[in-house]
Amino acid sequence: MLMSRLPPIARLCLAGLGVLAALCAFGPPLVGLDPHAPDWDALSVAPGAAGHWLGTDAIGRDVLARTLAGGRLSLTVGLLSSIVALGLGLTFGAIAGLAGGRVERAMVRVLDVLSAIPFLLVVILLLTLFERSLTLLLLAIGGYVWVDLARVMRAEAARLREAPFVLAAHAAGARFDQRLRWHVLPHLLPLAFVYLGLILPQAILVESFLGFLGLSVDEPAASWGTLLAEGVQELDAAPWTLLFPAGFLVATLALFQFLGDGLRDWLDVQRPRESAAA
């Protein structure tokens, strides 16, 4: 029912992302090639040669299998870190917006301070100093992308704070946590999931950047960023090792961007209608 109400561009992007996610999840077994196993008889072969649709790298690993496996890792890390950012931003913003007054001003100042910190450098420093793990990677990326979401949630929660149903609940004696849990958070969730489509590509891009620097997951696992770093080294002899992973990454980011824009425009139209109906 909800899918039929979405704008065509959003439905098209959702379908494209679904196909891409299915390819990354089930593609390597369907291709029948191990993304980590080298083919010593086919070193740096061009796309279409020796049974390798997208060619091989310098040690004979299939580029298609490695690209799909890398996409599975990048999408997984991006999704999980975005969920971390969603939890942080939604909770922080809802509390700040509903509290109002000095509490809200203090929490907004915290967001201002965090925005002024070159947080990506902090993430790189953490991943350099401490032993790399998937948990640390998720927390680092999620901590990087949650601030903008918290600002949006704070503004929307401040608007809801003056809504009649929230004022009525306050007058009826509902505690702060009850108003937050029963009246504010349920109304923030649709907007939060829309902005999830905007922070998810940002998380994927940050993970790819960290992978390009060699700060993502360890070998033999590889994300799109790791494949880009390897492709740069083989650019002269085998440019397809760079072009195909880069193409998958760009297509994914573009689909998420168009999806987020479409959902945001759709939500901006729906909210006035809901207000008029109320």
Side-chain angles (χ1 to χ4, degrees):
M1 183 64 180
L2 180 62
M3 283 290 294
S4 62
R5 296 170 55 190
L6 294 177
I9 183 65
R11 295 200 298 268
L12 183 62
C13 290
L14 278 175
L17 289 171
V19 172
L20 185 64
L23 285 174
C24 292
F26 308 108
L30 293 178
V31 173
L33 295 172
D34 186 347
H36 310 304
D39 183 358
W40 300 111
D41 295 326
L43 304 181
S44 297
V45 299
H52 298 280
W53 293 356
L54 300 185
T56 63
D57 60 10
I59 60 174
R61 293 174 297 188
D62 186 76
V63 173
L64 176 59
R66 285 180 61 76
T67 300
L68 296 180
R72 180 169 54 195
L73 181 59
S74 292
L75 292 175
T76 301
V77 172
L79 178 60
L80 294 179
S81 58
S82 297
I83 292 175
V84 172
L86 180 65
L88 290 173
L90 179 60
T91 303
F92 191 96
I95 292 174
L98 182 59
R102 294 180 178 178
V103 175
E104 182 182 14
R105 289 194 293 272
M107 297 180 75
V108 170
R109 294 298 175 270
V110 171
L111 294 178
D112 292 338
V113 171
L114 291 176
S115 298
I117 297 175
F119 210 83
L120 189 56
L121 295 179
V122 176
V123 171
I124 294 175
L125 183 63
L126 288 174
L127 294 174
T128 303
L129 293 179
F130 297 97
E131 183 179 356
R132 279 178 288 168
S133 65
L134 183 59
T135 301
L136 179 60
L137 185 64
L138 296 178
L139 292 176
I141 298 176
Y144 174 73
V145 300
W146 76 279
V147 176
D148 292 338
L149 177 64
R151 291 185 182 278
V152 175
M153 295 298 103
R154 196 278 309 172
E156 185 66 12
R159 185 185 69 84
L160 290 172
R161 184 179 66 221
E162 305 300 329
F165 62 91
V166 177
L167 295 177
H170 183 51
R175 301 190 308 271
F176 180 85
D177 62 308
Q178 292 174 331
R179 284 178 283 141
L180 180 69
R181 185 170 63 251
W182 295 342
H183 300 288
V184 175
L185 286 178
H187 285 79
L188 290 180
L189 280 177
L191 180 63
F193 281 113
V194 168
Y195 273 84
L196 180 64
L198 295 175
I199 64 174
L200 209 160
Q202 185 181 5
I204 294 175
L205 187 60
V206 171
E207 189 281 328
S208 298
F209 175 71
L210 294 174
F212 187 83
L213 297 179
L215 297 176
S216 186
V217 294
D218 294 323
E219 292 285 350
S223 65
W224 278 334
T226 308
L227 297 181
L228 293 181
E230 295 175 358
V232 168
Q233 299 176 1
E234 304 178 28
L235 184 59
D236 293 334
W240 51 86
T241 59
L242 174 66
L243 295 178
F244 289 117
F248 272 80
L249 176 60
V250 170
T252 302
L253 297 179
L255 286 173
F256 272 116
Q257 187 65 44
F258 288 131
L259 173 63
D261 291 343
L263 290 177
R264 183 173 54 190
D265 295 340
W266 173 74
L267 187 66
D268 289 341
V269 173
Q270 290 295 113
R271 284 167 57 188
R273 290 179 181 175
E274 293 172 357
S275 300

